[in-house]
Amino acid sequence: MLSLLGWILPYGEVMSVLALAAGAISVFTDRQYRLDGLVIAGACIAALQLLFGLLLFTMDLAGH
């Protein structure tokens, strides 16, 4: 859910970093959590959102 909010909010990169961190915590803790498709999908969407935001940021700095 956090990664989808990253597309709507003005500073989506911050939300995508939070979503990526939450997904990583959920994947790497093996207590009560289990690895499911929703965690993987959220982490992938967050990583792509962060990559896309950084790509746009570097293009803006380069003047394109």
Side-chain angles (χ1 to χ4, degrees):
M1 188 68 169
L2 288 174
S3 59
L4 294 178
L5 284 174
W7 291 99
I8 300 169
L9 297 175
Y11 295 102
E13 290 82 12
V14 175
M15 194 61 72
S16 63
V17 167
L18 292 175
L20 197 56
I25 289 171
S26 181
V27 167
F28 291 119
T29 55
D30 21 306
R31 289 186 218 147
Q32 298 176 0
Y33 305 110
R34 59 178 195 161
L35 190 63
D36 58 354
L38 192 59
V39 171
I40 299 297
C44 288
I45 291 171
L48 290 174
Q49 164 68 20
L50 186 61
L51 180 69
F52 186 67
L54 290 175
L55 177 70
L56 289 178
F57 180 69
T58 56
M59 286 180 65
D60 188 37
L61 286 179
H64 290 285

